[in-house]
Amino acid sequence: LSVARAGAAVTALERAPVIGGTTALSGGVAWMPCNGRTEGDSVAAAEAYLASVAIGDGDPQLNATYIRSTRATLDQIEAASRIRMLPLPYPDYHAEHEGGLPGGGRSLEPDALVPREDVAEMLRPSPNVLAPITYRELASGQFDRDEVARRRERGVITLGRALIAALAEALLDLGGEISTGERARELLRADGRVTGVRTDRRSLDGRVVLASGGFERSDALVRTFLRGPLLAPTGVATNEGDGLLMAMAAGASLGNMSEAWWCPALTIPGDEVDGAQLHRLVLTERARPGSIMVDRLGRRFVDEAQNYNDLGRGLHSFDAGTFSFPRIPAWVVFDHSYRRRYRFGPLGRSDADPSWLMRGDSVADLAAVIGVPADALASTVERFNGMADRRVDEDHGRGSRAYGRFIGDKHAPHPTLGPLREPPFFAVRIMPGCLGTKGGPRTDDSGRVLAIDGGGVDGLYAAGNVAASPFGMAYPGAGGTIGPALVFGWRAGAAAGGEG
């Protein structure tokens, strides 16, 4: 859309038969500080916050550009399309840090819309959220069923699919082409410059913007680059690093290659996306009262209501003595009271117990079923119950942070702390996953790919998860993937299209 607005002809190549990629599976939320829609934010506060969470291979200059570009980018995207981004009361993931916003507002979600018929036909379905529910409704756990039914009748879509649909409509209106089922194979180069791309159907001349997502579905690239075990990628199956390999062949400088947007994930046999196994992010389930998370030794090891990136990273812990990863698998353990009150992934409160839900009539029985030491699990549950009764987690601080309280149950006596006492007891297997990788070619503030020997790779641009994230290890807030993708995608398109 940005390229087309700059006056250039544009062909968007999509490897899959449908458009939207991992964004279409997501909530479509974008973390965009200083967005002009949230009171109480400032450049100084946003800079202090990002500096406070800056660890690893980040890029302070790109972060500064990002903070100062969000409002203008949003204004331009909204002027050029039907997208309307609405603030969410979603706290920053580390809101207790300097510059953090515990009341939220930096995370925005796309407003619901009815897509045009031609776009609706090419849009990827989402197996994660089947009803047209907004992210605000998902986060609060409250929605009007009659209103949701009316939306369904009208063909309303929400979340990431709404974001993709509005962008696609606007691109088509400006004469852009969207070609699905066409895989880019190789960059064309002449005199040290990228001059086009060869696909499995044809060759196309022009400047190239890589926006092909990460490499989390490539076993070879994951083994080569990532710092910890990745066993349950939640993104689409086509994210095999096509853009990364093309950039490497063109001599791109790489950054942040050991990092991903980590998460704890649930794998349900038979769930598929693009013919591959679908893995599901475990988000609010582990934060609700009446649950804990334990390792293979039956011990708690984390604030279960912590943001999913840092919790997912915690699953990589290595025990040198046993030469093993004791948190693979981990287990979310809960009691019958929890089972009656809350959903777990796609499992409803009154649904029959599926094969992937482990069950025991007592804590000791459950320990035997999931293969953890019974004494250790019983001791862990007993200690947690005492702390839950006192409404304080002395071991990991669960419930002491704004983010954890937000994703918990606001209607319970305590949003995240509650004992596990009512049999039977249940457990769900959790594996280390990610929403996508966050390493790739380094870029400048206009999305130009930088060369390994200095300077830039002329004619080549990148944005989104295919490019090196400026955040390094950090995940500052909900939408930390889509926010930079929008800002730097918009800037890359303007540069590639001739405006910058």
Side-chain angles (χ1 to χ4, degrees):
L1 176 57
S2 181
V3 169
R5 284 185 71 256
V10 56
T11 300
L13 302 173
E14 169 57 63
R15 173 179 165 178
V18 286
I19 65 171
T22 301
T23 298
L25 303 183
S26 78
V29 175
W31 188 80
M32 303 182 79
C34 305
N35 54 55
R37 294 147 177 79
T38 301
E39 295 183 2
D41 200 1
S42 69
V43 168
E47 287 183 334
Y49 177 63
L50 278 183
S52 77
V53 298
I55 303 176
D57 189 18
D59 191 322
Q61 289 185 321
L62 286 189
N63 286 339
T65 298
Y66 177 60
I67 290 169
R68 288 167 171 77
S69 302
T70 52
R71 182 170 186 171
T73 301
L74 282 170
D75 290 344
Q76 292 175 78
I77 290 175
E78 290 190 343
S81 71
R82 288 204 289 147
I83 291 173
R84 296 296 175 267
M85 299 297 286
L86 309 175
L88 290 168
Y90 213 119
D92 290 334
Y93 283 170
H94 299 280
E96 67 278 3
H97 286 217
E98 181 182 0
L101 291 189
R106 286 173 172 161
S107 296
L108 311 171
E109 77 164 318
D111 199 4
L113 58 82
V114 178
R116 217 166 58 197
E117 185 175 351
D118 58 335
V119 171
E121 290 175 352
M122 66 172 72
L123 189 62
R124 172 182 291 281
S126 174
N128 295 320
V129 182
L130 300 178
I133 298 174
T134 69
Y135 203 92
R136 182 182 292 266
E137 290 168 337
L138 282 173
S140 68
Q142 294 182 314
F143 55 90
D144 184 328
R145 294 185 183 276
D146 292 337
E147 169 59 22
V148 171
R150 287 191 291 270
R151 292 176 195 163
R152 196 194 301 273
E153 291 176 1
R154 291 166 43 218
V156 170
I157 60 174
T158 57
L159 309 178
R161 299 175 76 239
L163 179 62
I164 291 295
L167 288 170
E169 285 181 12
L171 172 59
L172 293 173
D173 287 344
L174 289 177
E177 175 191 356
I178 299 176
S179 178
T180 57
E182 184 170 7
R183 184 177 184 180
R185 294 286 187 177
E186 179 186 11
L187 295 175
L188 305 177
R189 289 181 285 165
D191 300 324
R193 166 180 190 82
V194 173
T195 59
V197 65
R198 181 179 65 81
T199 78
D200 48 14
R201 296 183 195 169
R202 54 181 167 165
S203 292
L204 294 166
D205 295 328
R207 298 174 184 178
V208 176
V209 181
L210 300 173
S212 53
F215 58 85
E216 64 272 13
R217 288 284 186 168
S218 167
D219 291 340
L221 292 174
V222 164
R223 287 195 305 270
T224 300
F225 290 115
L226 288 190
R227 61 170 295 279
L230 171 60
L231 303 177
T234 66
V236 294
T238 51
N239 284 354
E240 294 184 313
D242 291 5
L244 170 64
L245 294 173
M246 286 187 278
M248 290 170 66
S253 174
L254 303 182
N256 216 33
M257 291 301 297
S258 64
E259 285 301 324
W261 307 97
W262 305 110
C263 70
L266 161 67
T267 302
I268 299 175
D271 271 2
E272 289 190 352
V273 58
D274 299 336
Q277 177 68 54
L278 171 69
H279 307 282
R280 297 173 181 266
L281 163 68
V282 177
L283 180 58
T284 59
E285 296 93 340
R286 53 189 165 76
R288 300 290 168 83
S291 69
I292 57 172
M293 199 166 179
V294 300
D295 62 14
R296 289 194 288 119
L297 299 179
R299 306 169 304 191
R300 286 183 71 218
F301 59 91
V302 73
D303 168 8
E304 295 90 344
Q306 181 62 272
N307 73 82
Y308 53 78
N309 180 66
D310 295 330
L311 193 152
R313 187 191 308 280
L315 296 176
H316 300 153
S317 177
F318 181 73
D319 186 325
T322 61
F323 202 71
S324 67
F325 294 92
R327 298 169 186 173
I328 302 176
W331 300 89
V332 175
V333 176
F334 49 93
D335 70 354
H336 185 56
S337 176
Y338 177 106
R339 177 77 173 88
R340 289 198 316 268
R341 294 197 311 273
Y342 306 119
R343 294 182 63 89
F344 202 108
L347 179 65
R349 294 173 294 178
S350 58
D351 293 346
D353 292 348
S355 61
W356 51 268
L357 180 65
M358 303 296 103
R359 173 175 173 154
D361 290 333
S362 67
V363 172
D365 289 342
L366 181 65
V369 171
I370 64 176
V372 306
D375 290 347
L377 184 60
S379 176
T380 295
V381 170
E382 182 180 3
R383 175 167 175 78
F384 180 80
N385 286 349
M387 294 188 297
D389 289 340
R390 298 190 300 274
R391 303 287 189 261
V392 58
D393 178 5
E394 298 162 1
D395 295 338
H396 300 287
R398 177 170 167 177
S400 64
R401 302 173 182 91
Y403 172 78
R405 293 191 296 272
F406 178 79
I407 66 168
D409 181 356
K410 302 172 184 61
H411 306 288
H414 188 285
T416 68
L417 294 175
L420 293 71
R421 290 196 173 101
E422 184 179 342
F425 297 89
F426 302 90
V428 174
R429 185 171 181 259
I430 301 297
M431 300 297 282
C434 78
L435 307 187
T437 52
K438 59 193 300 192
R442 297 185 187 275
T443 59
D444 68 11
D445 62 5
S446 292
R448 296 180 179 90
V449 170
L450 302 178
I452 196 169
D453 57 358
V457 180
D458 288 345
L460 185 63
Y461 305 78
N465 281 355
V466 71
S469 169
F471 293 156
M473 287 173 60
Y475 201 154
T481 55
I482 292 176
L486 288 174
V487 169
F488 290 111
W490 196 260
R491 294 175 70 85
E499 282 190 349

